[in-house]
């Protein structure tokens, strides 16, 4: 990575990794690798076009000589044809996973370009035409500047510098050879040579600028990606990740929502208010967070979304903002997971000399409106409807029924056909505000399945 990135860029990538976001750091490195490969492919396209045009021009102006197999034109044509053939595989750069291998590929590619141009020009010097006045006037010489400039497309300033150096070295070789063989006929002066050297340096500078600009664009993309990841991470601590993703993907903020069927889960700790009166605030927060951590993990394991915390109570929804088709069954399995997690949590509390906790869970399934509630300045994604109220009422009635979980008939019906924990009937309950009693069930400890429990 050090060959293609500056020390400051390496420190930026390192800061991402040491911040614990290794996935983002890996994505940044992949961005550099991808940009380098894309730059090499772009060079391949330029090489293909230039070599193709050069071959067409060479054949058009030297067809008779080529048909007679004259040495100079034949060798020049062979070199251009070779450049054209080499351009084709370079359009598909191997998917290297190591910087060193990609660097070696780039260096080889730059060297081949320079040698092809050198090969096309050296035949002019060795076998000069009657009107030869020096290789600086050859039509192929301008390709030197193109080959240097396109080095910048490889995302590396070092590639542009290397391309400049190797082309200068080959230029000096041609200059010495031309002086040795054609000093009497060449018509360029030292001033012309100096001017060409300046142009080669300018082409190298352009290549460096192109590389720097491309690198800046890649780094800007990486910075935006890291910022987006940081925002998602921070927001994910305050609201469900599904809600965060939905909010970030929305084109505009809209208040209100849409009607849909969901499963709602309410849980609450029993007697925790009285117990918390004997705790210091720091102890209360520590114990509450430890409990919520294991409960939320159980809910999320079944695809549930925590809508809000209400003191020591949890409101979770299955089916919003994204439905999975078996949301009712997922809610039932989440309740079973929560009961199992509470048992494990109480054993850990007992090891610390703390009393066990008890909880009540209410589950219901039905229509709600899911969406943004509040104002455009401060909104909250939530669900609203009688379904929410009934789930909350069922949670409260677990105390009267002396069971840890109460499940409505509506939720049990919605979960039919899916894998669910066993349940046992608890009769009917009269819910405040409803005229019709509600049939309820609880998780069965004896292993009966839902079909036999409701039969």
């Amino acid at each position: 990575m050090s060959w293609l990135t500056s020390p400051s860029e390496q420190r930026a990538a390192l800061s991402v990794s040491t911040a614990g976001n290794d996935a983002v750091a890996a994505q940044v490195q992949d961005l550099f690798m991808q940009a380098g490969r894309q730059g090499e492919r772009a060079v391949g396209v330029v090489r293909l076009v230039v070599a193709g045009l050069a071959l067409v021009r060479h054949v058009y102006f030297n067809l008779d000589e080529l048909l007679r197999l004259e040495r100079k034109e034949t060798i020049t044509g062979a070199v251009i044809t070779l450049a054209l053939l080499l351009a084709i595989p370079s359009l598909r750069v191997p998917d290297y996973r190591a910087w060193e291998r990609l660097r070696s590929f780039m260096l080889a590619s730059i060297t081949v370009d320079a040698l092809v141009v050198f090969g096309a020009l050296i035949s002019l010097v060795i076998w000069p035409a009657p009107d030869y006045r020096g290789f600086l006037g050859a039509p192929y010489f301008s390709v030197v500047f193109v080959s240097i400039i396109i080095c910048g497309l490889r995302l590396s300033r070092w590639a542009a510098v290397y391309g400049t150096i190797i082309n200068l070295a080959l230029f000096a070789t041609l200059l010495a050879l031309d002086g040795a063989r054609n000093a009497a006929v060449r018509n360029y002066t030292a001033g012309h040579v100096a001017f060409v050297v300046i142009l080669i340096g300018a082409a190298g500078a352009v290549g460096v600028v192109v590389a720097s600009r491309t690198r800046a664009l890649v780094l800007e993309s990486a910075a935006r990606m890291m910022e987006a990841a940081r925002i998602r991470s921070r927001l994910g601590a305050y609201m469900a990740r599904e809600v965060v993703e939905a909010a970030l993907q929305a084109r505009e903020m809209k208040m209100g929502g849409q009607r849909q069927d969901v499963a709602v889960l309410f849980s609450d700790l029993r007697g925790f208010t009285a117990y918390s009166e004997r705790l210091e605030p720091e102890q209360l927060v520590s114990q509450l967070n430890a409990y919520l951590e294991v409960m939320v993990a159980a809910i999320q394991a079944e695809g549930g979304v925590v809508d809000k915390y209400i003191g020591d109570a949890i409101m979770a929804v299955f089916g919003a903002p994204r439905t999975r088709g078996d949301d009712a069954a997922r809610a039932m399995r989440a309740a079973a997971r929560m009961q199992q997690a509470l048992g494990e949590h109480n054993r850990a509390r007992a090891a610390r000399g703390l009393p066990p906790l008890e909880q009540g869970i209410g589950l219901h399934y039905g229509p709600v409106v899911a969406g943004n509630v509040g104002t455009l300045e401060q909104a909250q994604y939530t669900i609203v409807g009688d379904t929410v109220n009934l789930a909350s009422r069922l949670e409260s009635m677990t105390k009267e029924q002396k069971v840890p979980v109460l499940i409505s008939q509506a939720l049990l019906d919605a979960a039919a056909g899916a894998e669910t924990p066993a349940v046992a009937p608890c009769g009917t309950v009269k819910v405040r505000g409803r005229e019709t009693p509600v049939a309820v069930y609880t998780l069965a400890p004896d292993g009966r399945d839902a079909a036999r429990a409701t039969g």
Side-chain angles (χ1 to χ4, degrees):
M1 184 173 180
S2 60
W3 187 77
L4 291 175
T5 56
S6 66
S8 61
E9 293 164 355
Q10 294 177 48
R11 288 192 295 270
L14 181 61
S15 67
V16 176
S17 177
T18 54
N21 204 338
D22 294 333
V24 176
Q27 286 179 306
V28 173
Q29 185 172 358
D30 286 343
L31 269 178
F32 276 106
M33 292 289 289
Q34 182 181 357
R37 289 192 296 268
Q38 289 176 346
E40 190 61 41
R41 294 188 188 103
V43 171
V45 172
V46 175
R47 183 187 295 126
L48 187 66
V49 173
V50 172
L53 292 175
L55 183 61
V56 170
R57 181 191 183 282
H58 184 72
V59 172
Y60 180 79
F61 287 102
N62 304 283
L63 182 58
D64 293 338
E65 291 83 351
L66 290 170
L67 293 176
R68 293 195 300 269
L69 297 179
E70 291 188 6
R71 185 183 302 177
K72 182 180 70 172
E73 306 304 341
T74 301
I75 292 177
T76 303
V79 171
I80 299 175
T81 302
L82 178 62
L84 185 64
L85 294 176
L86 291 175
I88 297 175
S90 66
L91 297 177
R92 185 175 179 84
V93 183
D95 189 16
Y96 293 124
R97 297 297 179 182
W99 286 109
E100 291 75 12
R101 297 191 66 186
L102 181 58
R103 176 183 64 180
S104 299
F105 186 93
M106 289 180 177
L107 290 176
S109 177
I110 295 170
T111 304
V112 167
D113 284 343
L115 291 176
V116 165
V117 175
F118 178 78
L121 292 174
I122 197 171
S123 63
L124 303 178
V125 176
I126 295 176
W127 300 288
D131 59 347
Y132 180 78
R133 294 295 181 269
F135 72 93
L136 292 184
Y140 305 127
F141 186 74
S142 59
V143 180
V144 172
F145 306 110
V146 177
S147 65
I148 295 173
I149 292 174
I150 63 176
C151 288
L153 297 179
R154 294 174 166 93
L155 189 64
S156 171
R157 291 187 289 263
W158 283 106
V161 173
Y162 174 75
T164 304
I165 293 174
I166 190 171
N167 277 281
L168 274 173
L170 293 177
F171 171 72
T173 302
L174 282 172
L175 194 65
L177 184 61
D178 199 26
R181 297 180 63 91
N182 308 305
V185 297
R186 66 178 188 176
N187 63 353
Y188 53 83
T189 64
H192 292 126
V193 173
F195 182 69
V196 171
V197 171
I198 292 174
L199 288 180
I200 291 177
V206 171
V208 170
V209 170
V210 171
S212 299
R213 179 55 182 162
T214 306
R215 288 155 62 89
L217 291 175
V218 173
L219 286 174
E220 183 179 353
S221 298
R224 291 184 179 183
M225 181 178 66
M226 288 185 287
E227 180 65 14
R230 186 185 67 83
I231 292 174
R232 283 183 172 86
S233 178
R234 293 286 179 86
L235 289 178
Y238 291 94
M239 62 183 72
R241 295 192 179 276
E242 292 87 345
V243 177
V244 172
E245 293 298 328
L248 293 177
Q249 292 174 6
R251 292 186 176 182
E252 60 179 323
M253 179 76 168
K254 292 183 178 180
M255 303 307 298
Q258 61 181 8
R259 182 185 177 94
Q260 60 190 97
D261 290 336
V262 300
V264 182
L265 180 152
F266 266 92
S267 73
D268 191 18
L269 283 175
R270 295 177 179 173
F272 192 73
T273 301
Y275 170 69
S276 63
E277 292 176 354
R278 303 191 299 271
L279 300 176
E280 294 295 326
E282 294 80 6
Q283 294 176 312
L284 172 62
V285 171
S286 176
Q287 293 188 31
L288 183 57
N289 285 342
Y291 162 77
L292 292 176
E293 182 176 358
V294 294
M295 292 302 110
V296 170
I299 292 170
Q300 292 179 341
E302 293 295 341
V305 173
V306 175
D307 183 277
K308 60 175 64 72
Y309 303 110
I310 310 169
D312 55 11
I314 302 173
M315 173 183 166
V317 58
F318 297 78
R322 181 168 67 92
T323 182
R324 292 177 170 82
D326 60 343
D327 301 306
R330 288 175 176 271
M332 291 180 64
R333 294 196 298 266
R337 284 179 180 270
M338 292 173 70
Q339 285 298 102
Q340 180 180 1
L342 181 62
E344 297 173 357
H345 183 62
N346 279 335
R347 285 190 287 274
R349 286 176 60 85
R352 297 163 53 197
L354 300 175
L357 301 175
E358 295 184 6
Q359 67 182 1
I361 300 175
L363 298 171
H364 184 48
Y365 184 88
V368 298
V369 173
N372 296 316
V373 175
T375 66
L376 291 175
E377 288 74 22
Q378 186 171 357
Q380 178 184 4
Y381 182 91
T382 189
I383 57 173
V384 178
D386 184 63
T387 299
V388 180
N389 298 332
L390 182 53
S392 178
R393 294 280 190 272
L394 292 179
E395 182 278 314
S396 299
M397 299 184 77
T398 56
K399 301 175 185 178
E400 303 172 10
Q401 297 295 315
K402 302 187 184 315
V403 293
V405 180
L406 278 181
I407 303 168
S408 71
Q409 181 72 60
L411 187 133
L412 194 61
D413 292 343
E419 181 182 354
T420 58
V423 298
C426 292
T428 60
V429 294
K430 185 70 172 67
V431 180
R432 186 179 63 189
R434 285 176 174 261
E435 296 182 0
T436 305
V438 178
V440 291
Y441 302 80
T442 191
L443 296 179
D446 55 2
R448 292 180 297 167
D449 60 29
R452 288 189 295 170
T454 58

